[in-house]
Amino acid sequence: MDVTKEIRYVGVNDHDIDLFEGQYQVENGMAYNSYIIIDDKIAVFDTVDARFTEQWLGNIEAALGSRTPDYLIVQHMEPDHSANIVNFIHKYPDVKVVASAKAFAIMKQFFDTDFAAYQMVVGEGDTLSLGKHTLTFITAPMVHWPEVIVTYDSYDKVLFSADGFGKFGALDVEEDWACEARRYYIGIVGKYGAQVQSLLKKLSGLEVQAICPLHGPVLKENIGYYIGLYDTWSSYRAESEGVVIAYTSVYGHTKKAAELLADKLQAKGCPKVVVYDLARCDMAEAVEDAFRYSKLVLATTTYNMGIFPYMREFVEHLTERNYQNRVVGLMENGSWAPAAAKIMKQMLENSKNITFTDTVVHIKSALNKDSSSELDALSDELCRGF
Ligand code: FEO
């Protein structure tokens, strides 16, 4: 696949993976992207996962014919991209490895060598000429690890964006970009909004005609759309108006209340209502939607003098990703010493700009007249402003 006349795609698709990074469900697999710029000098961008050595080296050979690469540019040291550095050097011993100083430090940790004889250390604004193509390196710490660099090719106006603008899913499966790019971003990079914002600022002066990420498709059209979504996500603004109801339920009473609230919200014209049973859903999808929509309702039971474990995990996913700028409603169920609403509120007390609804729904075992009217009041409050 050609990105431009001189930039080729040499990555691989992975349909054998069970969980990406040990936790994310990827039913459409994963792509580990790798690119080559073929100019007077030849540069390869990033290696691929350890399970695809032969396929990847074969792709490179097929793209280059009898020529050999001059540079291996290592933008990110996470093993889904760096696992084949040693294999690459064995095959192409005259190559220079181009990476940040931090990347070489991490290389030493993974491989017990920092490839001193091959090193070309680059930092902010450094350039590398391949002939027509001049590459400029831009540091992108914590997008998604501290050593990350992204690279701009001023000849073809292509941004090699490392994990940025990546998504779950192999490239031989058609699916909506935003859905899986958002789940990927919120799950994997979501904590580092400030760092993504600072990268976006650095990129704002560049004319970008294509983005080549390390996962997901090459983005060639409507670049402003992708940058706009990254700006929204990394600034923790809601992308869409709507309410996410996340609940756990032991015998179905809290579930019934959550579903009743959803019905009431829909009947009152709420633009979007999404309901998640946290014990059974893909937790990463629920976390994604909590960041996507403007309002969130947490509904759970008091359990072991705390809250039900799946809700605890969910709220921790939110707070560790700097959840902020949202309206939150609380529903608790407790048969003898209810404490869930108080505990959930405490868990969010360090989250910035959270507006709690005035109404808290208190269920004692099962819905009754009082808790049903609280549900009504909560639905009214949540629909205000839509
Ligand atoms: Fe795709 Fe952070 O590795």
Side-chain angles (χ1 to χ4, degrees):
M1 180 176 79
D2 293 349
V3 178
T4 66
K5 205 162 143 245
E6 285 136 7
I7 302 178
R8 307 272 163 79
Y9 179 84
V10 289
V12 299
N13 287 320
D14 182 358
H15 285 289
D16 295 327
I17 188 166
D18 61 344
L19 294 174
F20 180 64
E21 292 193 352
Q23 61 171 321
Y24 295 102
Q25 294 175 27
V26 283
E27 59 182 40
N28 288 334
M30 206 57 206
Y32 312 113
N33 296 342
S34 171
Y35 305 92
I36 301 187
I37 303 181
I38 304 174
D39 198 342
D40 297 341
K41 299 281 187 188
I42 293 172
V44 175
F45 283 83
D46 297 286
T47 87
V48 298
D49 186 88
R51 291 170 294 120
F52 296 90
T53 310
E54 295 312 316
Q55 190 185 339
W56 175 64
L57 290 174
N59 290 351
I60 293 171
E61 212 171 295
L64 292 184
S66 57
R67 295 188 67 188
T68 56
D70 300 282
Y71 302 105
L72 173 64
I73 297 171
V74 177
Q75 301 186 108
H76 181 19
M77 274 306 296
E78 197 161 13
D80 50 336
H81 311 294
S82 68
N84 279 295
I85 295 174
V86 175
N87 296 323
F88 186 83
I89 290 174
H90 280 159
K91 180 153 181 187
Y92 299 112
D94 296 326
V95 81
K96 285 276 175 217
V97 178
V98 181
S100 66
K102 279 201 181 87
F104 284 111
I106 296 175
M107 259 178 243
K108 189 156 174 44
Q109 292 169 188
F110 275 113
F111 303 116
D112 200 26
T113 169
D114 59 2
F115 305 99
Y118 302 88
Q119 269 193 26
M120 184 184 283
V121 179
V122 292
E124 188 75 54
D126 287 350
T127 59
L128 175 65
S129 173
L130 304 177
K132 286 185 297 186
H133 297 256
T134 298
L135 305 179
T136 303
F137 301 104
I138 300 160
T139 60
M142 301 321 294
V143 187
H144 137 236
W145 277 15
E147 83 296 359
V148 171
I149 52 171
V150 301
T151 309
Y152 180 66
D153 169 18
S154 52
Y155 180 75
D156 275 333
K157 306 202 180 335
V158 169
L159 174 70
F160 296 89
S161 59
D163 274 343
F165 303 96
K167 67 182 269 299
F168 297 123
L171 298 188
D172 52 1
V173 181
E174 285 280 327
E175 62 182 0
D176 178 58
W177 184 86
C179 182
E180 284 298 71
R182 189 189 304 101
R183 188 168 68 98
Y184 176 91
Y185 173 85
I186 300 295
I188 291 175
V189 193
K191 181 177 183 61
Y192 301 107
Q195 289 84 347
V196 173
Q197 281 284 306
S198 98
L199 177 62
L200 291 178
K201 277 200 188 77
K202 290 193 219 174
L203 300 179
S204 63
L206 301 175
E207 184 187 346
V208 176
Q209 287 177 357
I211 297 176
C212 291
L214 289 178
H215 303 288
V218 172
L219 306 173
K220 280 188 165 175
E221 275 149 36
N222 214 357
I223 297 296
Y225 165 74
Y226 304 105
I227 303 234
L229 281 178
Y230 256 60
D231 184 38
T232 300
W233 299 339
S234 59
S235 56
Y236 301 99
R237 295 193 306 269
E239 183 184 333
S240 308
E241 293 288 2
V243 180
V244 173
I245 303 171
Y247 74 88
T248 67
S249 192
V250 186
Y251 287 103
H253 294 97
T254 314
K255 175 180 180 174
K256 189 175 169 190
E259 288 174 345
L260 199 57
L261 177 66
D263 292 345
K264 285 178 191 291
L265 290 170
Q266 264 148 1
K268 288 173 185 172
C270 175
K272 179 82 182 174
V273 183
V274 195
V275 182
Y276 285 103
D277 175 349
L278 295 176
R280 293 173 178 83
C281 70
D282 171 8
M283 183 74 83
E285 192 98 36
V287 172
E288 173 198 343
D289 273 351
F291 281 89
R292 177 178 186 175
Y293 292 105
S294 52
K295 300 182 184 182
L296 173 67
V297 175
L298 302 173
T300 197
T301 46
T302 304
Y303 188 83
N304 283 340
M305 296 176 74
I307 56 174
F308 206 64
Y310 294 100
M311 180 59 79
R312 176 168 296 285
E313 184 190 338
F314 179 66
V315 177
E316 282 170 355
H317 280 303
L318 300 184
T319 54
E320 70 191 25
R321 287 168 178 74
N322 295 323
Y323 185 75
Q324 55 188 277
N325 303 329
R326 299 293 191 279
V327 171
V328 175
L330 301 171
M331 294 168 57
E332 68 173 8
N333 194 345
S335 294
W336 61 92
K342 188 171 150 217
I343 292 168
M344 290 189 287
K345 194 167 183 180
Q346 276 167 355
M347 288 180 78
L348 289 164
E349 72 190 356
N350 293 322
S351 300
K352 277 191 242 164
N353 196 21
I354 299 294
T355 307
F356 290 97
T357 56
D358 293 334
T359 311
V360 174
V361 177
H362 305 278
I363 304 163
K364 292 194 176 102
S365 305
L367 276 173
N368 62 11
K369 203 161 135 280
D370 290 345
S371 47
S372 295
S373 68
E374 285 172 345
L375 263 187
D376 240 343
L378 180 61
S379 66
D380 283 341
E381 246 192 273
L382 289 167
C383 283
R384 242 175 258 151
F386 285 147

